[in-house]
Structure formats: structure tokens, C-alpha cells
């Protein structure tokens, strides 16, 4: 299968559904080391992303990601909005006018998303952020891309989930949690957790 | 005409009060526009409120934007990227500055008619002003 307009749209809708279902868990994670709004913020932002797809009905997968990114930036209200929103827009722009992206093309787009998020937020791997889930996921996706979209997306979701677990012993070096110093150790990073949800959603819609 | 100033905070009250204080210390010739909270008045950040505040603050000489932290910084950086892609966008600089002290320094300099580079530099130099 290809990553086409319908698949891209299904991914964003699945992200919105899954984040809404996990809203309480994300908020609880964020309440431990952040300001306790990650679940609600991201659910609101993704709802806006879905609305912008309904309004604009983009006709390429890149257009879907750009429009969804714009909705996230406009309505999320927390740091995850500009980070995920800018990242999705970078991914969408990387896909260009392609109507049926293959796994290699989507891998490059996800890499553009990761680069965009890192440029905006300045986080590196090991800082206890969404990058600790996204970077291994993007690497796994690109490595598995020759096996096709479904395999690549499943590998990415698994790598993201492993990345989330690996944030538990880390000390936060970005965001509000970094003020906690060593007290941020022992908690799962909520941004990494939501990234894993987003990549699991991709695996589900491409399975 | 002078450089305008935009203050981006998670808190509508903090952005508004800081604008009021910086304005009272700088005099009335400077437009200081607060962009606090989300577009429904909650704690957080709104790219559209920042965009509107920049439009309010711009008199043609450019706008210096100060952010409190976190999503304020990320959202302002995102907006700057969007404005770079737009025609006829106002000239905007983000100041890497302490929020209150930077706002006062920027407002005082803007009131003297200094240009955008000088106003942003004044805000950033506020890091070096020790209190004790």
C-alpha cells in the first residue's frame, strides 16, 4: 500500500481518537513532572487538526499533514502544539505533491519532522523529551522501509514504545520538568508517550 | 514612530501587567502589546494572539517580541518562521531576554527612538544587570 491522502487523513483522525482515549493517562504523566495539561492540550490540538482537514479537504498526503500541522499550532496552547505542528508541516512539505508516497518517501518525511522539531525545541536524544521516542522510531522506520510501509510503521511504533520506557531513568534537560533536576528521574516522559501513540496510530492505519 | 514591543506570557494577567509597568516606566510613545494566554483566555499560548499583538505594536519600525518560557518561546519561533514566508510581514525580532527586566529595557530604549536592533539588544543586555 501507499501513504496516500486517505491514509494520511486516517492517521490524523486515529491520532485524535487515540490521544483522546489516552488523555487522562497523558495528563497524569504530565502532572508528575510537568504542568498537567499535555493530554488536554494535545486532544484539543488534534481535534483542531481533524477540523482543518474537514474544512480544507487537501488532495495530497503532504497537504493533509500541512493542514493538520496548522490546526495543531493554532489550537494546542502548550509546547506540544508548535512542536508537533511544525513537525507535521515539515513532513508534509517533504512529501511535496506526491499522491502515493512509498515507505522510503514517508521515512524521509518523518525524518524532516524530527529535524524540524529538534530545530524548534533544541532537544537532543537523552534530554527526556518526545525526541527520545521519535528519533529511534524514525531510524527504525527508515531501516525497515525496504520491507514496505506496514513493516516500517510497525517497527517505528515498537521503537517509539521502547524509547518511552527508556525515558523513565533519564533526568529531564528540557521544559518544565528540567527544573526538577534529579526529581524528574523515575517518571515516563509525557511527550515521548504521546509520540508513541502517534506512531502506533500510523502502524494501525497502514497495517 | 518607534519600535513596538510584544510581551508573550502563558498568563494573560502577567503579560498585561508587565506591559502596563514597562509602559509606565518608558512613557507613552511606545506601543507595548500583551499576548497572554490562549485565545479563550486560559493559561497557555496562542499564535493568533501573538500575530494580532504584533500587528497592533507595529508602526513601521519593527517589533521586538519577549517571551516568558516554554511554549511562549516555541510558538513565537513558529510564528517568526511563518512571517518570513509572507510578503509585507512586519519586521520582527525575538529577544532572548528576562521577561520583566527585558520588557522595561526594551520599552525605555524604544521610547528614545532607537532602531529595532538596538531595542532587542537592550532587552538581551538586561541579563547582565545585577540587582545585588
Amino acid at each position: 500500500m501507499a501513504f496516500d491522502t486517505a491514509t494520511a487523513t486516517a492517521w490524523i483522525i486515529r491520532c485524535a481518537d487515540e490521544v483522546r482515549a489516552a488523555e487522562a493517562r497523558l495528563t497524569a504523566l504530565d502532572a508528575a513532572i510537568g504542568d498537567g495539561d499535555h493530554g488536554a492540550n494535545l486532544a484539543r490540538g488534534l481535534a483542531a487538526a481533524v477540523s482543518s482537514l474537514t474544512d480544507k479537504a487537501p488532495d495530497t498526503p503532504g497537504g493533509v499533514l500541512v493542514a493538520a500541522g496548522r490546526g495543531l499550532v493554532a489550537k494546542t496552547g502548550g509546547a506540544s502544539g508548535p512542536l508537533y505542528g511544525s513537525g507535521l508541516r515539515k513532513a508534509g512539505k517533504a512529501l511535496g505533491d506526491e499522491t502515493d508516497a512509498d515507505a522510503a518517501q514517508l521515512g524521509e518525511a518523518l525524518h524532516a519532522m524530527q529535524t524540524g522539531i529538534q530545530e524548534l525545541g533544541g532537544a537532543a536524544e537523552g534530554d527526556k523529551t518526545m525526541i527520545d521516542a521519535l528519533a529511534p522510531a524514525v531510524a527504525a522506520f527508515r531501516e525497515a522501509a525496504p520491507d514496505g510501509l506496514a513493516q516500517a510503521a510497525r517497527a517505528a511504533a515498537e521503537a517509539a514504545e521502547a524509547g518511552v520506557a527508556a525515558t523513565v531513568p533519564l533526568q529531564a534537560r528540557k521544559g518544565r520538568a528540567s527544573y526538577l533536576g534529579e526529581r524528574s528521574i523515575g517518571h515516563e516522559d509525557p511527550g515521548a508517550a504521546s509520540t508513541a501513540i502517534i506512531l502506533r496510530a500510523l502502524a494501525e492505519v497502514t497495517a | 514612530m518607534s519600535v513596538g514591543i510584544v510581551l508573550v506570557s502563558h498568563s494573560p494577567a502577567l503579560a498585561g501587567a508587565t506591559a502596563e509597568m514597562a509602559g509606565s516606566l518608558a512613557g507613552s510613545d511606545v506601543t507595548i502589546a500583551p499576548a497572554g494566554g490562549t485565545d479563550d483566555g486560559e493559561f497557555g499560548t496562542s499564535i493568533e494572539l501573538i500575530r494580532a499583538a504584533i500587528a497592533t505594536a507595529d508602526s513601521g519600525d519593527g517589533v521586538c517580541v519577549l517571551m516568558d518560557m516554554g511554549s511562549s518561546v516555541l510558538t513565537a519561533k513558529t510564528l517568526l518562521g511563518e512571517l518570513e514566508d509572507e510578503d509585507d510581514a512586519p519586521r520582527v525580532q525575538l529577544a532572548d531576554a528576562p521577561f520583566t527586566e527585558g520588557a522595561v529595557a526594551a520599552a525605555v530604549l524604544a521610547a528614545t527612538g532607537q532602531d529595532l536592533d538596538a531595542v532587542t539588544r537592550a532587552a538581551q543586555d538586561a541579563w547582565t544587570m545585577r540587582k545585588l
Side-chain angles (χ1 to χ4, degrees):
Chain A
M1 76 177 291
F3 188 76
D4 57 11
T5 303
T7 309
T9 304
W11 180 29
I12 300 303
I13 291 170
R14 181 69 69 111
C15 286
D17 290 346
E18 297 295 329
V19 165
R20 195 165 54 241
E23 184 179 325
R25 179 171 69 85
L26 291 173
T27 292
L29 289 174
D30 195 30
I33 54 173
D35 52 357
D37 60 3
H38 186 51
N41 280 346
L42 193 54
R44 179 172 57 239
L46 282 165
V50 172
S51 297
S52 67
L53 298 186
T54 314
D55 294 345
K56 294 197 180 68
D59 55 5
T60 60
V64 168
L65 301 190
V66 168
R70 192 162 292 133
L72 271 166
V73 168
K75 289 293 174 193
T76 302
S80 57
L83 290 169
Y84 284 131
S86 301
L88 279 177
R89 291 198 309 205
K90 297 267 188 197
K93 284 180 184 163
L95 291 174
D97 296 330
E98 180 62 58
T99 53
D100 297 281
D102 62 19
Q105 288 171 305
L106 184 56
E108 292 315 300
L110 292 173
H111 187 246
M113 175 174 181
Q114 178 195 334
T115 305
I117 288 174
Q118 288 191 273
E119 280 173 1
L120 181 60
E125 280 186 78
D127 285 348
K128 199 180 181 94
T129 71
M130 57 175 69
I131 294 302
D132 291 314
L134 186 59
V138 171
F141 190 102
R142 293 167 95 190
E143 194 181 321
D147 301 330
L149 193 54
Q151 289 271 35
R154 191 164 64 231
E158 285 166 5
E161 283 152 10
V164 175
T167 64
V168 173
L170 295 176
Q171 178 172 333
R173 288 198 289 257
K174 283 281 167 189
R176 180 195 180 279
S178 62
Y179 294 128
L180 294 171
E182 290 181 358
R183 280 171 290 168
S184 65
I185 294 172
H187 298 278
E188 200 173 288
D189 179 66
S194 61
T195 294
I197 292 171
I198 287 166
L199 288 156
R200 179 54 67 188
L202 180 63
E204 286 167 356
V205 300
T206 56
Chain B
M1 299 261 280
S2 60
V3 171
I5 295 164
V6 166
L7 302 179
V8 184
S9 170
H10 285 63
S11 156
L14 181 59
T18 308
E20 188 185 2
M21 187 174 98
S24 75
L25 290 169
S28 59
D29 295 338
V30 184
T31 304
I32 308 173
T38 62
D39 46 14
D40 49 5
E42 301 292 323
F43 284 106
T45 315
S46 160
I47 197 165
E48 288 311 318
L49 285 184
I50 304 172
R51 186 186 281 276
I54 287 171
T56 300
D58 184 39
S59 64
D61 289 340
V63 178
C64 175
V65 180
L66 291 97
M67 304 75 67
D68 59 358
M69 61 182 73
S71 63
S72 298
V73 180
L74 298 177
T75 306
K77 283 175 74 175
T78 302
L79 177 58
L80 194 70
E82 289 185 11
L83 292 175
E84 282 168 0
D85 293 340
E86 292 174 13
D87 299 330
D88 305 323
R91 208 154 75 84
V92 175
Q93 290 181 358
L94 307 184
D96 182 355
F99 193 64
T100 309
E101 295 87 338
V104 171
V108 167
L109 253 280
T112 68
Q114 295 287 303
D115 67 12
L116 179 57
D117 287 341
V119 169
T120 302
R121 197 160 50 239
Q124 296 183 160
D125 283 349
W127 289 120
T128 63
M129 304 281 255
R130 304 302 301 260
K131 294 174 193 178
L132 295 173

